[in-house]
Amino acid sequence: MAIASTNPTTGEVVERFEELTADQLEDRLARAAAAAESYRLTSVEDRAGWLRAAADLLESEADDVAGMIVTEMGKTLRAARQEVAKCVAGLRYYAKHGPEFLRDVEGDGESVGARRAYVTYQPIGAVLAVMPWNLPLWQAMRFAAPALMAGNVGLLKHASNVPRCALYMERLFHEAGFPEDVFQTLLIPSGTVEQVLRDPRVAAATLTGSEPAGRSVASVAGEEIKKVVLELGGSDPFIVMPSTDLDRATDVAVVARTLNNGQSCINGKRFFVHEDIADAFIEKFVAKMGALVVGDPMDEATDVGPLATESGRRDVEDYVGKGATVLVGGERPDRPGWYYPPTVLTGITPEMRMYHEEVFGPVAQVFVVSSLEEALREANGHPYGLGSNLWSEDEAERALFVRDVQSGMAFINGHTTSYPEIPFGGVKRSGHGRELSDLGMHEFSNTKTVWVGG
């Protein structure tokens, strides 16, 4: 069976790739196991040097790589360049800070009857990463950079519609000087993931994707007693209170909902607006969403490109066509490609699927609330808990929001995003574990206690 790279702007197949045969997969797993045995003995200085070399190489190829991202999954060229730059920054961050994250941590040996007691961080082996298409480089990089810095070996099973990005990741690390087979891309179908995860040569897994995919991987990992980090769906609340600057809040609301063509787990999706400012917010928000330019993602003037897949657009249309009031957008344009316009909805009720699920496209749901407490009740009633946003200048409201919102991340007067410097992850059905920062590196380290007697 072939894996195809299809341009969502035209719907045309750009390139086809063959899946690994059973023998080829076995060979790659054997090579990964061998590489793990030697790579764990490399110095942190060498690993940091290879990460810096990868950052320099990626930066030198940024324009070509950004163009590849656009033609493979449809985000705007501007957004693709930003994604590449974030990957470069992530590589350099772990090259700079990784050695300190991996230093031994001294404990109080005397209190435990030891001459010395300390914690050391050691690699665990080969880590399988099951990654999505929406941020095809950054999603994979935020696993790869800390994992490789920690001395682990990476196995990337990327989404089937971004094979060129997946293969580029393997080439990047190889050409940067990492030892052979330390990072490999596995062109395999989703049905083969269980086989790879059950293989004793694979130590752990990380998955970013849908809730059903996360449930499947977590089930297998649980049976095999293997560590797994899950970053699943999100339907982030974006709460707007009267004390905020509405012009700025609506500017950011538009970005929060349409970033990556609306295809990000941390997009603001549910907008809870206080009744005192609801009319003004909605008027500004609808006008700004309606003014966005939908078009060729390679055109610098374009704000929103096509959705990544035809099935994804069908899913969005199915959500929108279920009774809500459409204030702007809501109809696919008559043109080639998988485009869908920025859309604002009101009148959403609990009987509608979108009330409980994640709409993966540029569709905003607006709810009018009478208080912050009501907004938090509504926000927390959703099964997901990834990111969250509050717009307020009131310190008491900010404190209440941080204390009570059920999410892994809480952003005030800004929209949820990821940075190498701070932890990323969710609660409830948005998954568990953390990526990025020192926590992301230690997720796939053996935190070993060492006790030394007199």
Side-chain angles (χ1 to χ4, degrees):
M1 178 179 176
I3 294 174
S5 177
T6 303
N7 187 340
T9 304
T10 63
E12 297 175 351
V13 174
V14 177
E15 191 173 1
R16 297 184 186 276
F17 301 84
E18 292 300 319
E19 293 176 356
L20 295 177
T21 65
D23 288 344
Q24 289 171 328
L25 177 58
E26 166 58 30
D27 176 65
R28 284 178 172 265
L29 292 174
R31 285 156 47 195
E37 282 301 308
S38 57
Y39 186 62
R40 69 184 181 88
L41 302 176
T42 58
S43 69
V44 292
E45 293 78 16
D46 282 345
R47 297 174 207 159
W50 292 322
L51 284 179
R52 285 191 294 270
D56 292 344
L57 178 57
L58 177 56
E59 190 171 52
S60 72
E61 299 178 338
D63 287 342
D64 289 341
V65 175
M68 175 181 66
I69 292 172
V70 174
T71 57
E72 196 149 56
M73 60 73 57
K75 71 174 60 184
T76 64
L77 182 60
R78 180 171 61 255
R81 286 172 175 158
Q82 292 169 347
E83 181 175 346
V84 173
K86 182 174 277 193
C87 290
V88 171
L91 287 163
R92 289 179 176 152
Y93 175 80
Y94 280 105
K96 179 179 180 180
H97 296 283
E100 67 187 74
F101 294 159
L102 294 171
R103 287 192 189 122
D104 294 344
V105 178
E106 295 294 329
D108 183 357
E110 183 178 355
S111 69
V112 294
R115 180 166 57 86
R116 182 189 179 200
Y118 64 98
V119 168
T120 189
Y121 298 103
Q122 298 179 336
I124 59 173
V127 179
L128 172 66
V130 183
M131 293 288 110
W133 47 261
N134 57 330
L135 293 153
L137 239 60
W138 174 237
Q139 294 278 179
M141 192 65 74
R142 68 192 198 195
F143 134 77
L148 294 178
M149 186 65 227
N152 294 308
V153 165
L155 294 169
L156 173 61
K157 189 283 180 221
H158 220 322
S160 60
N161 60 321
V162 289
R164 294 198 299 163
C165 289
L167 292 170
Y168 175 78
M169 290 284 292
E170 180 179 299
R171 179 174 72 80
L172 174 68
F173 290 119
H174 176 73
E175 294 185 0
F178 280 88
E180 195 76 23
D181 302 323
V182 163
F183 189 94
Q184 298 183 62
T185 286
L186 306 179
L187 292 184
I188 57 175
S190 297
T192 308
V193 168
E194 178 176 348
Q195 172 192 335
V196 175
L197 184 52
R198 290 191 186 279
D199 194 293
R201 293 166 293 190
V202 174
T206 178
L207 177 141
T208 298
S210 69
E211 183 185 339
R215 188 180 296 111
S216 175
V217 166
S219 176
V220 174
E223 290 179 7
E224 297 296 330
I225 320 296
K226 292 182 180 181
K227 178 70 175 288
V228 62
V229 170
L230 301 176
E231 193 268 277
L232 308 178
S235 191
D236 288 7
F238 191 106
I239 301 171
V240 186
M241 299 301 291
S243 61
T244 197
D245 179 339
L246 275 185
D247 287 327
R248 182 162 168 254
T250 49
D251 282 345
V252 177
V254 170
V255 174
R257 190 61 201 95
T258 62
L259 188 69
N260 214 47
N261 301 344
Q263 301 165 117
S264 172
C265 293
I266 54 171
N267 281 132
K269 298 186 177 76
R270 296 177 297 143
F271 295 79
F272 298 97
V273 187
H274 193 279
E275 61 188 7
D276 290 352
I277 54 168
D279 289 345
F281 176 91
I282 291 171
E283 181 181 359
K284 291 176 182 289
F285 187 39
V286 167
K288 292 174 181 180
M289 288 283 277
L292 295 175
V293 176
V294 178
D296 183 351
M298 293 296 287
D299 188 333
E300 297 281 2
T302 293
D303 298 307
V304 178
L307 300 188
T309 65
E310 189 173 17
S311 61
R313 183 172 66 176
R314 284 197 300 268
D315 289 342
V316 170
E317 289 178 319
D318 190 51
Y319 281 113
V320 173
K322 297 300 181 184
T325 300
V326 179
L327 301 184
V328 68
E331 294 184 4
R332 69 160 75 177
D334 183 15
R335 62 186 301 172
W338 301 318
Y339 290 91
Y340 197 82
T343 299
V344 179
L345 305 176
T346 58
I348 301 100
T349 66
E351 292 72 33
M352 300 176 187
R353 284 177 53 216
M354 74 171 75
Y355 187 91
H356 309 280
E357 300 178 9
E358 178 182 21
V359 182
F360 218 58
V363 177
Q365 304 175 49
V366 179
F367 303 85
V368 178
V369 295
S370 61
S371 65
L372 177 57
E373 289 80 0
E374 181 186 356
L376 287 167
R377 284 196 302 272
E378 291 293 324
N380 293 339
H382 201 280
Y384 291 137
L386 190 54
S388 58
N389 311 263
L390 171 70
W391 285 79
S392 171
E393 299 300 326
D394 185 304
E395 288 299 332
E397 289 177 346
R398 293 178 178 187
L400 180 66
F401 171 73
V402 171
R403 187 192 73 182
D404 288 350
V405 71
Q406 296 173 4
S407 64
M409 298 169 285
F411 280 63
I412 297 173
N413 292 352
H415 67 89
T416 310
T417 189
S418 58
Y419 299 94
E421 296 86 353
I422 56 180
F424 184 97
V427 296
K428 303 198 295 187
R429 292 194 178 184
S430 287
H432 52 69
R434 291 297 180 265
E435 298 176 289
L436 302 174
S437 77
D438 59 327
L439 300 183
M441 176 173 287
H442 293 157
E443 287 281 9
F444 295 116
S445 296
N446 175 13
T447 303
K448 182 179 287 185
T449 298
V450 181
W451 187 99
V452 183

